[in-house]
Amino acid sequence: MMLPILHLTLLPLIIYQTTFFVSAIDPTVGFTCVPLDSSHYVLQKPYDVSLNERYSFTNGVHKFWIYSTDKPFMMGSDTQPRTEIRVTGYDYTSGIRQFEGYGYVPSGSTGVCIQQVFGASSAATTAQLRVYSGSLTYYRSPVLSANIYDRWFRVNVIHDANANNVKVYIDGELKFNGGDNGDGTHYFKFGVYVQNDPSGYMESRWKDIKICRK
């Protein structure tokens, strides 16, 4: 006589687990990923320091760090300090492109952009992923994922230049779906780029980077 009760007890758990697994998807399905190696990476860092003072690559992990008092990437530039990789060789003005990577931000880094789609008509960028006080945000808002400090998280940014649309998936879940900032010549960047209200020291780490298209 206890079997029906047991079934009723387990049913919510089964429904929850099924919903959890269904909600996480692979956004790269239907895309073709292009060859990507160090020849496609252009590193930007403060012009007055050597590369190894702001960047390392060890065991497949790119580590970027910057200080809020650092110089810009080139003398005479009025932009904020950065240590970033600019992906080259795959610039685009039309079509659908996707950036995939696994990011990591240590506790304390705030007021920093860690990934962007560069190029637009109404702004310098089409999309930016930033970190503020442990939350991953799309520009300043909305919040895409809270409590991202000290853990690896999967990032998929899909830009449809024809439809002027951007989608952002975090850990396989759609977190943003909206318009871009207009036409332009676009490319992807990742690393650390100082924004408003920054901490004194900012860091991000990236691995398993892919660029895909369709």
Side-chain angles (χ1 to χ4, degrees), residues 40-45 64 66 73 77 79-88 90-92 97-101 103 105 111-120 123-131 136-140 144 153 155-159 165-168 170 176 180-181 185-195 204 206 209-211:
H40 297 99
Y41 292 158
V42 174
L43 274 146
Q44 299 175 339
K45 47 80 179 175
F64 308 82
I66 198 76
F73 77 105
S77 172
T79 60
Q80 293 295 321
R82 73 188 72 192
T83 307
E84 291 183 300
I85 283 178
R86 184 258 208 245
V87 178
T88 188
Y90 297 115
D91 295 9
Y92 62 99
R97 300 293 187 274
Q98 178 171 180
F99 171 95
E100 179 180 78
V105 178
V112 62
C113 171
I114 62 170
Q115 195 276 341
Q116 54 182 319
V117 183
F118 198 84
T125 59
T126 284
Q128 284 191 351
L129 303 187
R130 301 182 186 179
V131 175
L136 185 67
T137 63
Y138 189 80
Y139 288 99
R140 190 73 194 227
L144 305 176
F153 51 93
V155 174
N156 294 84
V157 178
I158 301 173
H159 180 211
N165 176 261
V166 177
K167 292 183 175 67
V168 180
I170 304 299
F176 178 84
D180 65 12
N181 288 321
T185 299
H186 308 289
Y187 52 84
F188 296 108
K189 303 182 78 176
F190 60 101
V192 283
Y193 179 31
V194 175
Q195 301 298 310
S204 77
W206 289 90
I209 305 300
K210 296 179 183 178
I211 305 297

Side-chain angles (χ1 to χ4, degrees), residues 7-194:
H7 284 169
L8 290 174
T9 302
L10 292 176
L11 186 58
L13 179 61
I14 294 170
I15 293 173
Y16 170 80
Q17 289 179 333
T18 302
T19 303
F20 174 80
F21 285 117
V22 168
S23 64
I25 67 168
D26 181 0
T28 65
V29 171
F31 284 77
T32 300
C33 295
V34 300
L36 194 66
D37 57 37
S38 60
S39 69
H40 297 99
Y41 292 158
V42 174
L43 274 146
Q44 299 175 339
K45 47 80 179 175
Y47 68 80
D48 62 338
V49 299
S50 60
L51 183 59
N52 62 10
E53 292 180 84
R54 295 294 184 274
Y55 168 82
S56 68
F57 182 67
T58 306
N59 297 324
V61 176
H62 303 271
K63 179 181 176 182
F64 308 82
W65 63 98
I66 198 76
Y67 296 91
S68 59
T69 55
D70 275 339
K71 301 292 187 183
F73 77 105
M74 62 182 295
M75 192 176 296
S77 172
D78 61 358
T79 60
Q80 293 295 321
R82 73 188 72 192
T83 307
E84 291 183 300
I85 283 178
R86 184 258 208 245
V87 178
T88 188
Y90 297 115
D91 295 9
Y92 62 99
T93 58
S94 61
I96 305 174
R97 300 293 187 274
Q98 178 171 180
F99 171 95
E100 179 180 78
Y102 288 81
Y104 182 101
V105 178
S107 179
S109 293
T110 191
V112 62
C113 171
I114 62 170
Q115 195 276 341
Q116 54 182 319
V117 183
F118 198 84
S121 59
S122 63
T125 59
T126 284
Q128 284 191 351
L129 303 187
R130 301 182 186 179
V131 175
Y132 290 105
S133 302
S135 291
L136 185 67
T137 63
Y138 189 80
Y139 288 99
R140 190 73 194 227
S141 65
V143 172
L144 305 176
S145 183
N147 303 315
I148 56 98
Y149 280 155
D150 302 321
R151 70 176 182 90
W152 288 101
F153 51 93
R154 182 184 181 188
V155 174
N156 294 84
V157 178
I158 301 173
H159 180 211
D160 186 337
N162 297 336
N164 298 112
N165 176 261
V166 177
K167 292 183 175 67
V168 180
Y169 292 81
I170 304 299
D171 293 324
E173 295 186 23
L174 182 61
K175 296 295 187 176
F176 178 84
N177 184 0
D180 65 12
N181 288 321
D183 297 339
T185 299
H186 308 289
Y187 52 84
F188 296 108
K189 303 182 78 176
F190 60 101
V192 283
Y193 179 31
V194 175

